[in-house]
Amino acid sequence: MSPKRLYRALAFAEAVTWTILIAAMILKYAAGVEWAVLVGGSIHGFVFLSYALTAVIVGVNQRWNLGRIAFAVLTAIVPYATIPFDLWLVRKGHLEGDWRREKTDHPADSNWVNGLLRWFLARPVLLISLAVVGIVVVFAGLLVIGPPGGREA
């Protein structure tokens, strides 16, 4: 799967889970279906974390600057904002190119972040495994902390 395809899939999934969360909130406050927000919020939270990690990995691979990577992650906070940002990235060509598994003459390829990315890209099973475990650990930690606004929100 190319960086473009991975990023676009997660950007779309993140927007879809906003719909799930909003529908769950309507069910909770309009119909008293309390568990809907727990389910919808959990789905959205997991996909949010997955999108954020994907934005960082793809951003480093595509040599985005730190501001663009941070903005990509921040778009997930605003409902549906990942979609127009994704379209902008495509229009500007910021998602073009394959995974960078080899060092080139580009100055960015000499830093440790790009070296680490290339090392992990050479071991995709390890990268995917660590990504899933990392997301699950962060997700579990956030569940322990509780939802935004507290448990009674």
Side-chain angles (χ1 to χ4, degrees):
M1 178 176 281
S2 71
K4 180 179 184 177
R5 191 167 177 186
L6 176 64
Y7 178 83
R8 296 196 84 191
L10 267 295
F12 179 76
E14 210 285 327
V16 168
T17 64
W18 265 115
T19 303
I20 293 169
L21 179 58
I22 291 166
M25 291 171 66
I26 291 169
L27 282 172
K28 176 181 178 179
Y29 294 109
V33 183
E34 296 287 326
W35 58 266
V37 172
L38 175 64
V39 173
S42 295
I43 293 167
H44 175 69
F46 193 84
V47 173
F48 171 88
L49 293 172
S50 301
Y51 167 79
L53 181 61
T54 299
V56 170
I57 291 171
V58 170
V60 170
N61 185 76
Q62 302 305 100
R63 296 188 181 112
W64 297 350
N65 62 36
L66 187 58
R68 185 173 297 140
I69 294 171
F71 192 76
V73 173
L74 290 174
T75 61
I77 295 171
V78 178
Y80 307 107
T82 57
I83 299 299
F85 186 67
D86 167 64
L87 294 172
W88 180 83
L89 290 170
V90 169
R91 191 172 53 251
K92 295 292 185 178
H94 294 304
L95 289 172
E96 296 306 318
D98 205 359
W99 293 108
R100 294 185 300 107
R101 293 179 175 89
E102 303 293 327
K103 187 175 181 179
T104 67
D105 291 335
H106 192 280
D109 284 359
S110 297
N111 69 36
W112 68 271
V113 174
N114 281 274
L116 187 62
L117 177 64
R118 285 190 307 276
W119 188 87
F120 274 114
L121 288 174
R123 297 154 182 85
V125 173
L126 179 61
L127 174 59
I128 293 167
S129 299
L130 286 177
V132 169
V133 168
I135 291 166
V136 167
V137 167
V138 170
F139 184 75
L142 291 171
L143 284 177
V144 169
I145 292 170
R151 299 214 187 270
E152 299 303 320

